[in-house]
Amino acid sequence: MNTIILQIASRYTLPLLLLFSVFILLRGHYLPGGGFVGGLVASIALVLHAFANGIKKTRELVKIHPGFLMPVGLSTSLLSGLFPMILGKPFLTGMWYPHSVPVIGSLGTALFFDIGVYLVVVGATLTIIFSIIEAP
Amino acid sequence: MLLAVLLPFLLAIFLVIPFRKYESLVARTVWIVPAGIFSFFLQTYLSGNTGITGKASLSQIIPYSLQWNLDGLSLLFVLMISGIGTLIFIYAAAYMKGHPYRIRLMGFLSLFMGAMLGLVLSDHVMNLFLFWELTSISSFFLIGFNNEEKASRQSALKALIVTGGGGLILFGGLMLLGQIASTYSINEMIALRGNIVADPFYPVIMVLIILGAATKSAQFPFHFWLPGAMKAPTPVSAYLHSATMVKAGVYLLARFTPVIGGTELWQYTLIALGGITMLYAAFHALLRTDLKGILAYSTISALGMMVFLIGIGTEASLLAVGMFILVHALYKAALFLITGIIDHETGSRDITKLRGLRKVMWPVALAGVLAAISNAGIPPSLGFMGKDLIYESTLHHIFQPIWLTSAVVITNIMLLIAGFNAGWRPFSGNLPSAFSKVHLPEKSMWVPPLLLAVLGLGFGIIPSVIESPLMQDIVMSLHGVSWAGHLALWHGFNTVLLLSGITIVTGIALYFALPQSSKIAAKITGLTALSPENIWTKIALGFNFLAIKITAVLQNGFLRLYILIILAFVGSLLAYKLANQIYFTIDYSYLSPVTVYEAIIVGILIVSILFTVFSTSRLVAVASMGVVGMAICMIFVFYSAPDLAMTQFTIDTLTVVLFVLVLYRLPKFIKLTFAIRHIRDAVVSIGFGTLIALLAMEVLDNQPDRTVSKFYGDNSYVLAKGKNIVNVIIVDFRGADTLVEIIVLSIAAIGVFSLLKLRIRQSQKIE
């Protein structure tokens, strides 16, 4: 699709949408949102970019293969679950840093778990959609 | 004790490391581990500390404890496993020299050793089963070690299917037994023997356990995997397929003798099973000309004899079993290792060609002769003593002593000939010129078989070494009563001695009299169509055929039919359930008044659904589907489910994108279908939709149990410090579910990726 409007628009919407997705991810613990929705929003942002500018441009922009995000995300989630075990607590116990951190808010294993979910969702969605776009 | 079992597993993990230039050093020194385990158990034996039972918890994280039991029977096995294991490791290092996967072989051997040790030390039947399966799996890898050869892979698969299938059957038997006894500890079961034997399920349990043992110990008609397993490197054949693993079935039967043995059913089944196996296989051993083939069949025959003796079940016969297990392990492992040397040095295993090798490798010849003597039961070897015990037990059996004794004598004569064929024939006669350059291999190859053969002789001369407490403890653990007799070579002139004499004289006479050629073997090849192996293969192929037919009908490739069938099936189940159970009444006073914007949304919904169904353009249909999704999002928003709305919104966007991408590749929409199909589809979808609506209203009417949602509501901030309950459930309360879900998601993505990237060339399509 070669529409100049969409191309220009996607240039501005991409960073906005990506930031928004992170925002959704971080607010998830208190307000509607979370890693799953955040990941989907981020995927939509990149798919929109791919529609406007062609898949090649998006691939150049992302640099790494999106499939790579899946193992990274899975390990993040798994490690956040394993972390409490080091301290002798059951697998996946929610543990929190007692003080509030600026911007992020409270910091805990659940947040890292959610970040893992976010990465897996982005990785899986983009792998599927990019593969279909590129299929001959 | 836990360490002794875990050590081989740790070693197996350690051997995964690529050692590169230290490969040789590692390969030559790993035998230290089994040697250490052997000396630990030997020290236990010498200090008289048998009868140890114990528990070992693996850790506090995994709430799983292993119950150990080290009695006479276990001790015999652990000494054999670790002792012969040590020699096998030394031998294999030399035998596999220069092989790129030498370390890998040792890793698998080590894995097997751990599994086998665990098997014979477990008191809990489920532990026993776990290790039982592990031995099958490690055996699979070892048989298929030369994985570039098709025959090797096929044999490995065959062995896995037979022993693994037997494992499943055994699992059923052990579960039933555990249920009836309401304990899974074998020691505790022994006390409950009366109840178990009287239970109506007893015959079922017995048959299941015997079937499990028969597949593992290669009893007729499941024996055929064992000759196939000879595709493995020779050290593996010596270790797994003669000395230890195949005896696991015998071990199992012996172990369960005090629990489910002793009944007439048990005795006759085992006598018949073992009797047929030992005669059938001993006869086959005579027809083979390949050294490993001879040894494989004579091993099957020996296993049959052990099962037979367990079936007889008297004190004398159980002692004979214990003795024969040891005797057989010593001489058979030695013969296998000798075969390995011959194969390694001359490149041939054909006994019609091998001659006069004693002139070039006398220590190997000496080992061969000693092993053949022990196998033949010629005094003063341990084999003589073992044979005497066997004859003694059959002679004093109340049921048909003459028939049983003659079966054993005939088997022993045939086994004697087979043993001489393997242990003596290659070394006798004149050395052919083709083999004149054959030389003695390095020490670490010929010392192990010689040591085993000499032990077979040495134990015979000084039987007191194994008599007390080893053999006494075995009788104790199998028969429940301590055995006070003594092992001796000389019992005076009696029937047993006469039978031994007949066996030896007839056997040796026949060895020289029988023509040694492949002509006889060729004559019976006409019967292979009736052999169990052939029937088994036919059944397996039949399954393949059936599977192809079923797949062709069910997996026909039309997605619309799949959906139709699924919906119709689920719909009819739902309809059947709901037909009797619709109680809901709609109480209009509870419902909030319909607002204008709700009415508008519903209007949009209906219009876009009609568009989706009746449009002739796919793009329009997809776009209207998107509108339906968005309208539902709005409904979620109205009824305060923002999380759902957000997810639905993003998912719908992506679904539309996906649809467009896929539709782009489809041909132009053409109306090909018949009106009747439209009506059918309409009926199914409207019916299904109505059912779901009914179900939703029914659920609304019957308020379900709210304890769980109340718990989440009350505790999400207290326990998990989150105010968004949905998210807290996802990342904290049900975190493990989410973890699995993202794994599934990744697998799906990898699946789509690999399917789309897969380019099958015409030539590669299907073999």
Side-chain angles (χ1 to χ4, degrees):
Chain A
M1 268 183 280
N2 284 321
T3 78
I4 193 105
I5 303 174
L6 201 56
Q7 276 177 14
I8 301 290
S10 75
R11 210 176 289 167
Y12 293 99
T13 52
L14 180 66
L16 273 178
L17 279 171
L18 285 179
L19 265 181
F20 182 60
S21 76
V22 175
F23 166 72
I24 289 178
L25 162 73
L26 291 179
R27 81 201 280 262
H29 218 57
Y30 282 157
L31 298 159
F36 189 73
V37 187
L40 288 174
V41 171
S43 318
I44 289 173
L46 286 162
V47 170
L48 184 67
H49 188 267
F51 267 40
N53 303 299
I55 180 75
K56 263 192 183 165
K57 290 261 172 63
T58 319
R59 284 253 193 226
E60 279 164 21
L61 191 74
V62 181
K63 289 197 179 67
I64 54 163
H65 191 286
F68 183 66
L69 292 174
M70 292 190 287
V72 174
L74 283 177
S75 344
T76 313
S77 291
L78 186 70
L79 287 177
S80 84
L82 289 175
F83 177 71
M85 288 176 78
I86 302 170
L87 305 176
K89 298 198 172 161
F91 181 54
L92 278 173
T93 312
M95 295 182 63
W96 295 91
Y97 182 65
H99 308 289
S100 184
V101 178
V103 184
I104 297 171
S106 37
L107 193 64
T109 51
L111 179 67
F112 286 98
F113 188 84
D114 226 8
I115 291 174
V117 175
Y118 175 91
L119 292 174
V120 172
V121 170
V122 175
T125 320
L126 289 184
T127 305
I128 294 174
I129 291 182
F130 282 7
S131 306
I132 293 178
I133 292 179
E134 284 173 349
Chain B
M1 193 95 71
L2 181 69
L3 189 68
V5 176
L6 279 185
L7 210 55
F9 290 109
L10 296 177
L11 177 65
I13 294 168
F14 171 70
L15 291 177
V16 171
I17 305 169
F19 293 102
R20 298 180 202 287
K21 63 177 176 179
Y22 299 108
E23 195 260 7
S24 178
L25 179 73
V26 173
R28 299 240 169 226
T29 47
V30 278
W31 62 270
I32 292 172
V33 174
I37 297 169
F38 177 72
S39 50
F40 166 75
F41 284 115
L42 191 66
Q43 189 260 330
T44 317
Y45 170 51
L46 295 177
S47 61
N49 274 337
T50 50
I52 300 169
T53 53
K55 266 190 179 185
S57 294
L58 279 181
S59 76
Q60 291 183 330
I61 301 168
I62 306 164
Y64 180 74
S65 64
L66 300 164
Q67 286 173 352
W68 301 121
N69 181 22
L70 180 66
D71 61 358
L73 185 67
S74 306
L75 192 68
L76 172 68
F77 269 93
V78 291
L79 288 176
M80 271 173 17
I81 295 160
S82 53
I84 297 178
T86 310
L87 297 177
I88 295 287
F89 271 89
I90 297 172
Y91 181 91
Y95 183 85
M96 301 297 288
K97 194 161 84 179
H99 195 288
Y101 298 134
R102 174 160 71 161
I103 295 283
R104 183 191 287 183
L105 179 88
M106 296 186 144
F108 281 130
L109 278 175
S110 186
L111 184 72
F112 164 76
M113 188 167 68
M116 197 67 204
L117 285 172
L119 169 63
V120 296
L121 286 169
S122 297
D123 181 49
H124 193 286
V125 290
M126 286 304 137
N127 282 349
L128 186 147
F129 174 74
L130 184 80
F131 288 119
W132 177 279
E133 290 293 76
L134 253 181
T135 59
S136 293
I137 291 166
S138 46
S139 157
F140 168 77
F141 284 114
L142 286 166
I143 297 170
F145 183 71
N146 295 321
N147 51 21
E148 282 140 22
E149 285 170 29
K150 196 176 177 194
S152 193
R153 296 198 303 267
Q154 278 178 343
S155 297
L157 196 60
K158 200 181 284 171
L160 184 69
I161 291 171
V162 176
T163 55
L168 275 180
I169 294 171
L170 174 70
F171 185 60
L174 294 178
M175 287 289 279
L176 262 177
L177 186 61
Q179 287 294 313
I180 287 170
S182 62
T183 169
Y184 283 89
S185 155
I186 298 171
N187 269 328
E188 287 168 26
M189 282 177 185
I190 293 175
L192 300 164
R193 182 179 174 277
N195 295 347
I196 294 169
V197 172
D199 197 275
F201 274 106
Y202 168 74
V204 181
I205 295 173
M206 194 202 80
V207 168
L208 292 178
I209 288 182
I210 289 179
L211 277 176
T215 50
K216 193 79 158 184
S217 281
Q219 299 296 297
F220 184 87
F222 306 110
H223 63 280
F224 55 85
W225 70 265
L226 188 57
M230 295 301 145
K231 294 281 184 296
T234 308
V236 175
S237 308
Y239 193 31
L240 270 74
H241 307 121
S242 80
T244 56
M245 188 189 89
V246 287
K247 294 208 175 76
V250 174
Y251 169 82
L252 186 85
L253 293 176
R255 177 55 79 212
F256 280 99
T257 297
V259 181
I260 59 171
T263 59
E264 283 198 348
L265 190 63
W266 165 270
Q267 292 186 351
Y268 295 153
T269 316
L270 288 188
I271 288 176
L273 180 72
I276 292 170
T277 309
M278 67 184 186
L279 285 166
Y280 174 89
F283 179 64
H284 262 271
L286 293 184
L287 301 173
R288 304 287 136 178
T289 52
D290 176 61
L291 274 173
K292 280 180 103 174
I294 296 173
L295 293 176
Y297 275 100
S298 69
T299 303
I300 297 172
S301 176
L303 294 167
M305 195 178 292
M306 290 171 200
V307 171
F308 176 85
L309 289 170
I310 292 175
I312 291 174
T314 56
E315 186 187 78
S317 80
L318 293 174
L319 173 66
V321 173
M323 194 70 152
F324 191 43
I325 289 173
L326 178 64
V327 175
H328 178 258
L330 290 175
Y331 74 70
K332 195 51 68 65
L335 286 176
F336 263 110
L337 295 182
I338 291 161
T339 303
I341 295 174
I342 295 174
D343 191 14
H344 198 257
E345 299 304 320
T346 67
S348 168
R349 294 200 308 247
D350 189 342
I351 55 162
T352 56
K353 297 207 180 83
L354 295 164
R355 279 292 173 282
L357 290 172
R358 68 178 185 284
K359 290 175 183 161
V360 285
M361 39 171 87
W362 67 268
V364 184
L366 180 63
V369 173
L370 289 180
I373 283 176
S374 192
N375 169 59
I378 296 170
S381 66
L382 192 62
F384 173 71
M385 215 180 291
K387 208 146 284 184
D388 274 8
L389 288 169
I390 293 170
Y391 291 152
E392 187 136 351
S393 58
T394 54
L395 274 177
H396 293 102
H397 193 253
I398 38 164
F399 164 79
Q400 304 283 14
I402 299 177
W403 282 105
L404 295 184
T405 310
S406 35
V408 176
V409 171
I410 293 170
T411 309
N412 271 332
I413 292 173
M414 292 195 281
L415 282 183
L416 183 148
I417 302 169
F420 269 77
N421 274 340
W424 176 236
R425 197 177 286 275
F427 301 106
S428 64
N430 293 319
L431 187 72
S433 56
F435 296 143
S436 58
K437 285 193 180 133
V438 171
H439 56 86
L440 191 66
E442 55 184 300
K443 252 189 208 141
S444 52
M445 276 179 83
W446 61 260
V447 169
L450 190 60
L451 187 63
L452 288 171
V454 167
L455 276 181
L457 198 68
F459 286 152
I461 297 168
I462 323 165
S464 57
V465 183
I466 51 166
E467 174 192 295
S468 167
L470 188 60
M471 287 300 155
Q472 288 181 350
D473 279 349
I474 291 172
V475 176
M476 178 74 195
S477 53
L478 292 187
H479 203 243
V481 191
S482 186
W483 170 67
H486 286 288
L487 296 172
L489 281 172
W490 184 249
H491 286 284
F493 293 101
N494 53 18
T495 334
V496 172
L497 188 70
L498 181 70
L499 288 170
S500 268
I502 292 171
T503 313
I504 294 166
V505 172
T506 327
I508 294 177
L510 283 175
Y511 167 73
F512 287 109
L514 279 181
Q516 197 43 244
S517 70
S518 44
K519 277 180 197 158
I520 321 170
K523 272 182 193 161
I524 59 151
T525 45
L527 294 173
T528 44
L530 291 172
S531 74
E533 177 166 21
N534 219 321
I535 293 166
W536 184 276
T537 317
K538 289 245 166 65
I539 293 173
L541 289 177
F543 267 114
N544 255 352
F545 182 73
L546 191 69
I548 291 169
K549 287 283 165 207
I550 290 177
T551 316
V553 173
L554 292 180
Q555 306 273 328
N556 48 24
F558 292 106
L559 281 177
R560 53 181 179 275
L561 284 184
Y562 293 177
I563 294 174
L564 192 75
I565 291 169
I566 292 170
L567 288 188
F569 181 74
V570 176
S572 35
L573 277 185
L574 259 181
Y576 173 75
K577 189 72 185 158
L578 285 178
N580 313 316
Q581 290 194 341
I582 296 191
Y583 301 117
F584 70 89
T585 47
I586 299 173
D587 188 351
Y588 289 95
S589 60
Y590 270 114
L591 300 179
S592 44
V594 179
T595 56
V596 182
Y597 46 85
E598 283 167 0
I600 293 172
I601 291 291
V602 172
I604 296 174
L605 254 178
I606 292 169
V607 171
S608 46
I609 287 172
L610 290 176
F611 253 99
T612 314
V613 175
F614 292 106
S615 159
T616 50
S617 153
R618 290 201 184 96
L619 210 57
V620 172
V622 168
S624 1
M625 277 287 280
V627 175
V628 173
M630 300 301 161
I632 291 172
C633 280
M634 294 311 287
I635 294 176
F636 284 144
V637 173
F638 295 153
Y639 293 97
S640 55
D643 273 291
L644 269 183
M646 281 168 84
T647 316
Q648 177 81 26
F649 191 82
T650 43
I651 287 282
D652 251 302
T653 315
L654 285 170
T655 314
V656 171
V657 167
L658 270 176
F659 264 127
V660 171
L661 285 174
V662 174
L663 291 186
Y664 184 64
R665 294 166 201 289
L666 291 181
K668 203 173 173 329
F669 187 86
I670 312 166
K671 207 166 178 174
L672 282 174
T673 49
F674 306 104
I676 187 132
R677 292 202 187 156
H678 285 290
I679 295 168
R680 177 195 68 188
D681 293 352
V683 168
V684 171
S685 43
I686 292 174
F688 192 72
T690 318
L691 282 169
I692 293 293
L694 283 175
L695 186 72
M697 287 200 238
E698 182 70 25
V699 169
L700 208 65
D701 204 48
N702 295 325
Q703 284 297 349
D705 188 5
R706 290 231 170 227
T707 353
V708 178
S709 42
K710 193 170 173 335
F711 170 83
Y712 287 145
D714 291 347
N715 290 300
S716 92
Y717 192 70
V718 185
L719 290 178
K721 298 188 200 283
K723 285 177 185 157
N724 177 2
I725 301 172
V726 178
N727 201 53
V728 167
I729 292 174
I730 291 175
V731 299
D732 198 318
F733 289 134
R734 316 269 329 165
D737 289 359
T738 314
L739 195 59
V740 177
E741 275 158 20
I742 56 178
I743 292 171
V744 172
L745 189 64
S746 310
I747 294 171
I750 293 168
V752 172
F753 179 75
S754 33
L755 276 178
L756 286 172
K757 297 281 168 183
L758 185 70
R759 294 275 168 278
I760 305 173
R761 260 181 264 136
Q762 203 65 30
S763 59
Q764 280 182 307
K765 256 186 177 168
I766 296 165
E767 266 185 41

